Amino acid sequence: MSKLPDFEGLALFAKVAEERSFAGAARATGLSVATVSRAVSRLEERLGARLFNRTSRRLALTDFGHSLAERATRLYDEAEAAENAVREMSSRPRGLIRLAVPMSFGLRWVAPLLPDFFRLYPDISIDLHLSDAAVDLVGDGFDAALRIAVLPDSSLVARRLCPIAPVVLAAPSYLARHGHPRHPRELNGHHCLGYAYRRRQDIWRFTNGAGEEESVTPSGPLRVTNADALLPMLLEGLAIAELPEFMAAEPLADGRVTAILTDWSLPKGGLYFITPSARTRPAKVGVLADFLIERLSEPAWRRPAEKAAEQDGPTTEV
């Protein structure tokens, strides 16, 4: 015999006692009369006592049944209330969301959006995890994540918000001292800063409109786990760096850096909102997804250059 109580048997017994009828309990629960009857018989056998006196015209609780009915009804009501409470939580936008976001992107583009989000949804709180290291969405217990890249895990549900292009940059002072590279292979003679969390090693893979390809392994005095740490070296004119356009837009706009090798492109990634599953996504995650899709599908960093640079390199979808 199972050590667990027969919850189904107790619940259906409570319903039969309430309805005073197996048929009534079957209608109330959407089950067949035979299923209800078997569950009650199983419970009687387990408990070693009859719960009902049955005749062709009448169904009455035994003394033992009376003593159990109140507790079984309370158990049924509490279980129903628990389900209703959870159902309400899953259908109303409220509760805690654990959200993983790349650090530089999160600081620049997600954190500034949160005041507006909380004004719209005051019953939601967010645990914002900022890190450039890849997280295990399911294993680490996250409700959702924003990722910039290609997504290898097909079990995740992903919505692409926008493309993100990388840009190779240098300060005017660097170019004045060391010259302006015209071909990717010329980068081998320059200080190029590296990023530790790049997939498939830290290699810059260029293509041009003629279909030529060139791969460069950046070599320089600094390799980092967060792209913001590249900026001081870049802005001081000490090296060349590759940055995503959401980081490059501002220093490009004010002239502190210059885009180089503009006839060549690096593989374009995308910004994705991902969740473990779409089937059981609670309302709180749904409204966050809608909010971020609205705010980040046409992000500010893409508007100035806009569509001028819509010479997309290959973009990988999931």
Side-chain angles (χ1 to χ4, degrees):
M1 180 185 297
S2 170
K3 294 181 179 180
L4 288 173
D6 184 353
F7 292 109
E8 182 190 45
L10 287 165
L12 292 177
F13 160 68
K15 211 62 184 169
V16 173
E18 178 187 342
E19 299 287 338
R20 300 292 179 176
S21 161
F22 280 87
R27 283 192 299 272
T29 58
L31 301 172
S32 68
V33 174
T35 298
V36 175
S37 180
R38 281 197 300 271
V40 173
S41 296
R42 185 181 68 240
L43 183 63
E44 288 178 324
E45 183 177 348
R46 178 187 178 102
L47 299 175
R50 291 180 63 81
L51 298 171
F52 295 103
N53 288 318
R54 303 169 177 84
T55 68
S56 58
R57 296 184 179 181
R58 189 167 177 269
L59 182 70
L61 286 165
T62 64
D63 290 342
F64 187 78
H66 273 294
S67 67
L68 182 62
E70 183 180 349
R71 291 184 178 182
T73 300
R74 187 163 60 246
L75 179 67
Y76 183 95
D77 290 343
E78 288 178 357
E80 190 173 49
E83 281 195 356
N84 289 338
V86 172
R87 191 176 294 115
E88 181 182 8
M89 286 182 65
S90 67
S91 62
R92 291 178 54 195
R94 62 187 302 170
L96 174 67
I97 299 173
R98 298 194 69 230
L99 176 67
V101 180
M103 182 173 289
S104 294
F105 185 81
L107 291 172
R108 278 178 173 79
W109 297 101
V110 177
L113 298 178
L114 293 182
D116 285 348
F117 180 78
F118 291 131
R119 276 192 284 268
L120 289 170
Y121 302 104
D123 293 330
I124 294 178
S125 57
I126 293 177
D127 182 350
L128 184 62
H129 177 86
L130 296 170
S131 174
D132 288 350
V135 298
D136 179 350
L137 202 63
V138 176
D140 294 335
F142 287 99
D143 298 295
L146 288 172
R147 283 188 182 167
I148 299 169
V150 177
L151 300 180
D153 188 351
S154 61
S155 69
L156 300 174
V157 179
R159 167 67 185 267
R160 189 183 187 194
L161 278 62
C162 68
I164 292 184
V167 187
V168 182
L169 306 164
S173 60
Y174 179 91
L175 297 175
R177 286 195 306 273
H178 301 286
H180 198 301
R182 303 296 178 184
H183 192 282
R185 72 172 68 97
E186 295 177 25
L187 294 175
N188 291 321
H190 289 266
H191 292 311
C192 297
L193 305 179
Y195 179 63
Y197 286 140
R198 186 187 308 279
R199 290 190 185 277
R200 301 176 188 169
Q201 304 176 340
D202 193 10
I203 298 174
W204 298 355
R205 293 178 170 86
F206 292 88
T207 58
N208 65 12
E212 296 177 273
E213 298 182 359
E214 189 76 33
S215 294
V216 175
T217 300
S219 175
L222 180 65
R223 190 165 180 262
V224 302
T225 58
N226 178 259
D228 270 301
L230 301 176
L231 285 171
M233 290 281 289
L234 175 66
L235 297 177
E236 286 292 325
L238 298 177
I240 293 171
E242 177 254 299
L243 294 177
E245 58 184 326
F246 66 82
M247 291 182 65
E250 185 178 337
L252 276 171
D254 61 24
R256 287 179 292 164
V257 297
T258 299
I260 63 173
L261 298 170
T262 53
D263 292 335
W264 296 77
S265 61
L266 293 163
K268 180 176 289 187
L271 173 66
Y272 294 89
F273 183 86
I274 63 173
T275 55
S277 170
R279 291 193 303 271
T280 58
R281 189 168 74 178
K284 61 184 179 180
V285 177
V287 296
L288 177 62
D290 292 342
F291 178 83
L292 292 176
I293 289 167
E294 178 186 352
R295 298 300 183 93
L296 295 175
S297 291
E298 290 290 338
W301 73 77
R302 288 184 58 78
R303 290 172 199 152
E306 202 99 50
K307 326 286 184 184
E310 208 60 56
Q311 51 201 53
D312 288 7
T315 300
T316 304
E317 300 278 2
V318 282

